[in-house]
Amino acid sequence: MYSKKQLHKFGFKVLGYEFVDGLGREALSRIALNEKRRYMLESGVNLVVHTNKGALHVVTAPSFVFDGRSGPKIVDWYAPNLGTLEERICWFVHDCNGYGQDLSFEDTNLLLFAMLRDLAGYRTSKAALLQLAVSLSKSRYGTPKPGDWCCANVKKVKTLWLPKTEDDE
């Protein structure tokens, strides 16, 4: 299960991301908006998000399902449900972290803030507003409730946060 809060907003930056293979990039790029706003990835995704404090490794199996940017359609004008590849990566990583495997709820949302700002190019104020909105959803963090649409994902996702050590700096 997740560890205690380990990240701090001051000075936290996302430096970039890399797909370990091309399948994940293609899977996230190829999905199209649909009415239900549930997106099944045809292939697995193996992705690393690099920050100045460490790296988050995200691995999903084929048929992992995510919902893009959570929330109602009425806010799509402000933050799209899918958006650019970088926005999709932000929503995807946030959903993967939502299963509470390695980062706390607070760190999961701080990483979303930094990814939106540093990868997707959102203004700091816009990224902070979205971070505030997702911070209201703590009851959805961790293991899904039985019968929830995302229950099958629990066995299809692994995340691992590797903090930088003094030797890395």
Side-chain angles (χ1 to χ4, degrees), residues 105 109 129-141:
F105 177 74
N109 293 335
L129 183 61
L130 290 163
Q131 179 189 13
L132 175 63
V134 297
S135 72
L136 303 175
S137 63
K138 191 164 188 172
S139 66
R140 307 275 309 159
Y141 181 78

Side-chain angles (χ1 to χ4, degrees), residues 78-99:
Y78 189 68
N81 179 244
L82 287 176
T84 65
L85 177 61
E86 285 72 21
E87 287 170 307
R88 292 173 189 211
I89 291 169
C90 295
W91 313 137
F92 170 75
V93 168
H94 188 259
D95 279 8
C96 291
N97 276 332
Y99 294 97

Side-chain angles (χ1 to χ4, degrees), residues 10 12 14 23-24 35 43 62-63 77 83 89 99 108 114 132 139:
F10 182 75
F12 184 60
V14 173
L23 297 176
E35 192 61 32
S43 65
S63 74
W77 66 270
I89 291 169
Y99 294 97
T108 292
L132 175 63
S139 66

Side-chain angles (χ1 to χ4, degrees), residues 6-168:
Q6 42 189 334
L7 303 176
H8 303 283
K9 198 170 201 170
F10 182 75
F12 184 60
K13 294 184 184 341
V14 173
L15 306 175
Y17 64 90
E18 64 179 303
F19 288 96
V20 175
D21 59 43
L23 297 176
R25 176 184 299 275
E26 184 177 332
L28 285 170
S29 296
R30 291 180 53 194
I31 54 177
L33 278 172
N34 64 54
E35 192 61 32
K36 290 186 176 183
R37 298 160 73 96
R38 302 283 187 257
Y39 308 104
M40 182 181 293
L41 299 174
E42 295 175 7
S43 65
V45 174
N46 192 343
L47 172 71
V48 182
V49 177
H50 298 280
T51 78
N52 62 332
K53 302 296 181 185
L56 179 73
H57 297 257
V58 178
V59 178
T60 63
S63 74
F64 179 86
V65 178
F66 77 113
D67 65 352
R69 188 232 352 109
S70 301
K73 292 178 184 178
I74 196 166
V75 297
D76 284 355
W77 66 270
Y78 189 68
N81 179 244
L82 287 176
T84 65
L85 177 61
E86 285 72 21
E87 287 170 307
R88 292 173 189 211
I89 291 169
C90 295
W91 313 137
F92 170 75
V93 168
H94 188 259
D95 279 8
C96 291
N97 276 332
Y99 294 97
Q101 294 178 342
D102 213 37
L103 290 178
S104 69
F105 177 74
E106 295 79 11
D107 287 343
T108 292
N109 293 335
L110 176 57
L111 181 60
L112 176 65
F113 162 82
M115 289 178 69
L116 289 169
R117 183 193 61 202
D118 301 336
L119 295 182
Y122 283 26
R123 292 180 321 277
T124 299
S125 58
K126 182 175 181 176
L129 183 61
L130 290 163
Q131 179 189 13
L132 175 63
V134 297
S135 72
L136 303 175
S137 63
K138 191 164 188 172
S139 66
R140 307 275 309 159
Y141 181 78
T143 305
K145 295 178 177 132
D148 199 348
W149 67 268
C150 56
C151 279
N153 280 343
V154 172
K155 294 182 180 179
K156 297 178 185 175
V157 62
K158 296 290 180 208
T159 61
L160 177 64
W161 171 256
L162 296 174
K164 280 191 174 183
T165 64
E166 290 179 16
D167 294 338
D168 295 333

